Amino acid sequence: MITFLTSSPTGALDGSRRVEGLDEKNSFLENLRKYWKEDSRCLMISAFPAEYDVNDEMTAFFSKAVKKAGLTLSAFDLWDGRTKDVSGEVLHSYDVIFLGGGHVPTQHRFFEQISLKEKLQEFHGIVIGISAGTMNSAELVYAQPELEGESVDPSYIRFLPGLGLTKTMILPHYQMVKDQELDGKRLYEDITYKDSYGRKFLALPDGSYLLIKDGKETVWGEAYEIADGVLRRICEDGCKKCRSHPAEHHGCY
């Protein structure tokens, strides 16, 4: 399995940088091309299983983005609440699996309902995480509060068992949400930093991603580590850093 855990594979969601197709920043498209099979069969797994119109629009958008990037397709299917159960054998017939963006706990419940973790075992294709899909890929998922009321709800569960594709807990869209407030508190300084004690989070702006191959995890592009209430920059745009073996080369390309 080759895994790309992205913040956004189609450019900055805040509109600060226009992208046609898939993002070329930090060699994302270049790296993806290395593993993309001709006429790949793709599957989008939704984060909102009941929001059919949204899911149809998202699938059409990513199908178009892939084609604009010059990558060939033979199918681009969707798995949401309308889909009959997909067996592991059928899932493994796809070359590329997209894990869609959305609300982390909602997607997490859907992934558990469809036994996705078990069905992904021994998958040999490409997995591309998008935002929430990236967050739910972790062994232990940090479901950063997002909706009004979640940060003050004592029943809201912030740490969940994930797909186990990485040990890294990723926070996407850092450049867009780092100054946001939720429930009268600063999302990062007052909520996320406190949740980081005894843990480590990886905050990625749009355009950065974590690439996993043969168990080796490499950050491509600007990235920040949050641990024990402290944030530090660990990588720059145009550079890459190995998280699996931190002593290895960390430089620009």
Side-chain angles (χ1 to χ4, degrees):
M1 183 189 305
I2 305 295
T3 308
F4 292 83
L5 298 180
T6 76
S7 182
S8 168
T10 54
L13 295 190
D14 56 14
S16 60
R17 190 169 49 85
R18 183 177 176 82
V19 171
E20 290 292 335
L22 297 177
D23 205 348
E24 297 187 20
K25 190 173 183 180
N26 293 308
S27 300
F28 172 71
L29 182 53
E30 178 184 345
N31 284 330
L32 183 59
R33 280 198 178 108
K34 294 176 184 177
Y35 308 106
W36 192 277
K37 293 181 180 179
E38 187 175 354
D39 297 330
S40 281
R41 298 185 70 247
C42 298
L43 176 67
M44 172 68 71
I45 306 181
S46 169
F48 294 111
E51 296 190 16
Y52 303 149
D53 290 343
V54 172
N55 295 336
D56 290 340
E57 182 180 348
M58 175 181 61
T59 304
F61 171 81
F62 277 97
S63 176
K64 186 177 180 180
V66 166
K67 291 174 183 175
K68 277 188 175 180
L71 303 174
T72 58
L73 296 170
S74 62
F76 204 122
D77 299 330
L78 168 66
W79 190 356
D80 66 5
R82 295 167 291 186
T83 311
K84 292 182 179 180
D85 188 40
V86 175
S87 68
E89 183 179 0
V90 171
L91 186 68
H92 286 220
S93 72
Y94 287 94
D95 302 298
V96 184
I97 296 173
F98 288 82
L99 307 175
H103 184 236
V104 172
T106 301
Q107 185 182 56
H108 179 268
R109 287 192 293 271
F110 184 52
F111 284 179
E112 288 205 324
Q113 176 189 331
I114 64 177
S115 301
L116 184 60
K117 179 178 181 178
E118 292 73 23
K119 291 175 181 176
L120 275 175
Q121 298 300 312
E122 304 302 322
F123 177 69
H124 295 298
I126 299 170
V127 173
I128 300 175
I130 305 166
S131 191
T134 284
M135 297 171 77
N136 274 316
S137 295
E139 186 174 279
L140 180 66
V141 177
Y142 174 50
Q144 184 184 45
E146 176 184 358
L147 303 180
E148 201 69 31
E150 285 183 342
S151 75
V152 294
D153 181 356
S155 67
Y156 181 79
I157 302 174
R158 300 191 187 192
F159 293 92
L160 303 162
L163 296 178
L165 304 183
T166 176
K167 293 183 180 296
T168 303
M169 290 181 275
I170 297 176
L171 301 176
H173 316 304
Y174 179 70
Q175 90 289 350
M176 190 168 68
V177 302
K178 63 185 178 66
D179 296 320
Q180 285 186 358
E181 294 188 356
L182 181 68
D183 301 321
K185 296 179 285 187
R186 296 172 297 176
L187 176 60
Y188 270 81
E189 289 84 347
D190 301 327
I191 299 173
T192 303
Y193 284 14
K194 290 183 178 180
D195 289 339
S196 74
Y197 280 89
R199 302 181 174 91
K200 292 181 180 180
F201 304 143
L202 179 67
L204 298 179
D206 294 347
S208 299
Y209 58 98
L210 184 70
L211 173 59
I212 308 172
K213 181 187 178 188
D214 299 328
K216 181 177 178 180
E217 302 192 357
T218 305
V219 178
W220 290 72
E222 182 182 354
Y224 301 83
E225 184 177 83
I226 302 170
D228 295 326
V230 177
L231 176 143
R232 65 186 183 94
R233 188 193 297 254
I234 63 169
C235 200
E236 305 280 352
D237 276 335
C239 294
K240 60 182 179 179
K241 180 178 178 66
C242 180
R243 286 182 65 79
S244 307
H245 308 283
E248 287 190 10
H249 175 70
H250 170 201
C252 298
Y253 46 86

